[in-house]
Structure formats: structure tokens, C-alpha cells
Amino acid sequence: MQRRRVLQAVAAGAASLSLPSFAQAWPARPIKLVVPFPPGSSPDIIGRLVAEPLAAALGQPVVVDNRPGAGGNLGTGVVAKAEPDGYTFLFTIQGPLVTAPMLSKNLSYDPAKDLAPVSLVATSPNVLVVDPKLGAATLADFVRIAKQKKGELNYGSVGNGSASHLAMESFKSRAGIDLVHVPYQGFPQVVNAILAGQVQAGFMVPGIAMGQVKAGKLNALGVTTLGRASSLPEMATLAEQGYPGFEAVSWQAVLAPAKTPRPIIERVSRELVRIIKSDEVRSKVLGQYFSAAGTAPEALATLMKAEREKWGQVIKAAGVQPE
């Protein structure tokens, strides 16, 4: 009996040491950071900004692997099915994590079960832009004109269920206006559609919108953060222009396959928080109109849950159907 207890104690001790020992030996080879969007896209740019310093911190190359397709769902599915050995991570926006399960009929993964949160990396407002020819210099002007031309104005988005689509559906409900949705493949196409007079408005990421705004080709009416965005402090929020509580923030985060050893997730999370909050990286991120975040895994998990609930209600109210 005594011998059995000793053996059980030894076995328990070995088990308790297994994960930390594994984490100490990790990483022993290059790490893959899957970005489920094409080179030059916003998540690709921010992902590469953190990949190099992360490689230096971990002592192994961090290789960015672009896997675009299906609005980010393709590459996300690749990571969800990857070996949970600490050598594959995902760098993505919120769409594949939040709205995809509600809008994709044949999704190959469940983000709540198949992926482990690591860290929120960066956040960005969306900017409401309109065609200057519409004659709307302010948000109040836009709402007034939209009500006068009920159902006559179009707005562009980057696809059914995208952040730009759902942000406008949410705002339409709050403002009591009726606009026709026209989906496009990307923000450059939305910009071209506005310039051509095919649509009159849209929510866009600042990296795309602000160049056109500065050139006088688009009017910017406000940002979708609750408080002034650090990347655009001079621009008023929709919340302070009569729509309190209105928020539609874009964000980017790092996740890992579920069952990735917890010590590895915690190590990568700590390194990312340190990197993203460093003066050099924070400045570069701000240059892309994003604000550096950096959080513990639990904070990202809480955000994902809250976002699913929030946008699930918008999807239901707007009658957006899965494709």
C-alpha cells in the first residue's frame, strides 16, 4: 500500500512537470503565424509588425503564412485543425471568430471550441464616409438627407455579414433610416463605387478611407469608437453626435489551436503584450490607424463572447441570412 502511494505521488509529480518542461524546451523550430488574408491587407501588415519582434523574443523565426479565402474562414480553419504543439498560431480580424458561425452554412470549425485565445493585439475605429456630392457635411446632414430620400440611397460594404455591413445595419436601426445594401469584394471597390456615384456611403477602415478624405474625394462624418480614437483624435464619434453607446470597433488578435499547452499560450501572450506596447511597435501600429491593445487570453475570450452576443442580435434584427 505504501509503495503504491509513493508510485502515485511520483506519477502525479511527473504529470505536473510535463507541461512546464515542454514549454521550457519550446520553441525548437520556426513558428508559423497564419494570416487568413492576402499580403498587403491590414491584418497582414499588423501581423508582420509583431512577427519580427516576437521571433527575437522566442529565439526562433516566426514565419507569416498568408492563407486567404472565404473572408478569412479558410485560413482560420487551417489553424483550427493544426497540431496543438505551439508551432502554429493565427493572426486574424474579428469576422472569422465572431460572425462567421452565424453567417456561414458550411463552416469547417467552431471558434469557441477549436481555437484558444492568446491576445488581443490592436483595435481600430470604422469611419463613416459619404460622397461629397450628397451634400452631407455632418452626420446630422446625412441622417436628414437619408430620411428625405427613404430607400433611395445605397451604401457599400465588403460583403454580407462583414463588419462594414453590420455597422451600417446597426446605425440604420439607431438612426431610423433606410439604405440599400450593395456588397463588394473589398474596400477599394467600395471607394470606386462611391466615386462613381453607384453608392453614397459606407463604413470603412481608416487606412483606406483617410487618403480619400484628405484628397477631398470623400467626406468623413465620424468614427465608431465610444471615445475619440487615438489614431484620429480630431474626428468626432457617432456616440457624441447623438447616438450614445454606438460602437463598432474592428480588432485583430492572435489565437492558437485548442489544446495548445497553456504555458506556451501564456508565454506568447506575455511577449505580445510587451511587444505591442513598446514605443516602436505602438508607433508603427498607430501609423496604420490602429491602437495597440495587448491583453491576457482571458480578456480576449471575454471580448469574443460579448461580440458574438452583440452582433448576433444585429444579424437577427437585420434578417441577414447565412450563405
Side-chain angles (χ1 to χ4, degrees):
M1 180 65 71
Q2 182 65 27
R3 183 172 182 273
R4 180 186 297 176
R5 290 175 179 172
V6 171
L7 289 175
Q8 289 174 339
V10 170
S16 67
L17 290 173
S18 61
L19 286 181
S21 297
F22 178 67
Q24 288 170 7
W26 174 92
R29 64 177 191 269
I31 296 166
K32 183 187 298 183
L33 184 64
V34 175
V35 176
F37 296 94
S41 62
S42 179
D44 176 70
I45 293 171
I46 304 296
R48 291 178 187 275
L49 285 179
V50 301
E52 184 176 349
L54 182 60
L58 298 177
Q60 288 288 346
V62 176
V63 181
V64 174
D65 181 10
N66 296 96
R67 297 288 189 97
N73 296 346
L74 181 63
T76 302
V78 169
V79 176
K81 292 176 173 57
E83 189 71 23
D85 55 7
Y87 290 97
T88 303
F89 289 85
L90 173 70
F91 192 100
T92 189
I93 62 174
Q94 71 267 32
L97 307 174
V98 173
T99 57
M102 296 175 267
L103 296 172
S104 301
K105 289 182 179 179
N106 300 308
L107 199 65
S108 66
Y109 63 91
D110 182 344
K113 296 179 180 179
D114 299 332
L115 293 167
V118 176
S119 179
L120 178 67
V121 172
T123 63
S124 170
N126 289 289
V127 181
L128 176 58
V129 297
V130 299
D131 184 348
K133 295 188 293 293
L134 188 62
T138 67
L139 182 63
D141 289 341
F142 175 62
V143 172
R144 174 179 51 79
I145 293 170
K147 288 182 177 180
Q148 290 173 348
K149 299 185 176 184
K150 183 177 181 180
E152 298 178 23
L153 301 182
N154 302 327
Y155 78 92
S157 83
V158 294
N160 187 55
S162 65
S164 55
H165 176 204
L166 298 181
M168 186 64 87
E169 289 300 319
S170 180
F171 181 69
K172 281 170 53 180
S173 176
R174 287 288 303 273
I177 57 177
D178 183 12
L179 309 174
V180 179
H181 176 221
V182 182
Y184 293 89
Q185 290 185 337
F187 283 119
Q189 290 79 13
V190 178
V191 170
N192 290 336
I194 295 178
L195 298 181
Q198 297 168 352
V199 300
Q200 289 72 47
F203 279 103
M204 294 186 190
V205 293
I208 296 292
M210 294 313 297
Q212 301 294 334
V213 171
K214 291 176 181 177
K217 296 180 178 180
L218 295 175
N219 283 353
L221 304 184
V223 293
T224 57
T225 42
L226 286 179
R228 294 286 178 110
S230 58
S231 57
L232 292 168
E234 74 286 352
M235 192 175 296
T237 68
L238 272 64
E240 66 183 290
Q241 295 183 76
Y243 302 91
F246 186 87
E247 183 181 33
V249 177
S250 296
W251 48 268
Q252 301 181 357
V254 173
L255 298 94
K259 299 183 181 179
T260 297
R262 182 69 185 185
I264 290 178
I265 287 178
E266 291 178 348
R267 168 79 187 282
V268 174
S269 180
R270 288 195 302 270
E271 297 294 356
L272 285 171
V273 170
R274 180 186 59 79
I275 289 166
I276 198 67
K277 292 187 176 181
S278 67
D279 290 341
E280 180 181 1
V281 174
R282 183 172 56 198
S283 176
K284 291 179 179 178
V285 169
L286 195 62
Q288 298 295 322
Y289 294 99
F290 276 80
S291 297
T295 66
E298 293 78 12
L300 176 56
T302 299
L303 172 65
M304 289 168 59
K305 183 176 184 295
E307 289 275 276
R308 288 178 190 134
E309 294 174 354
K310 172 181 177 178
W311 295 113
Q313 293 174 2
V314 173
I315 288 170
K316 183 177 180 180
V320 182
Q321 297 299 314
E323 297 179 344

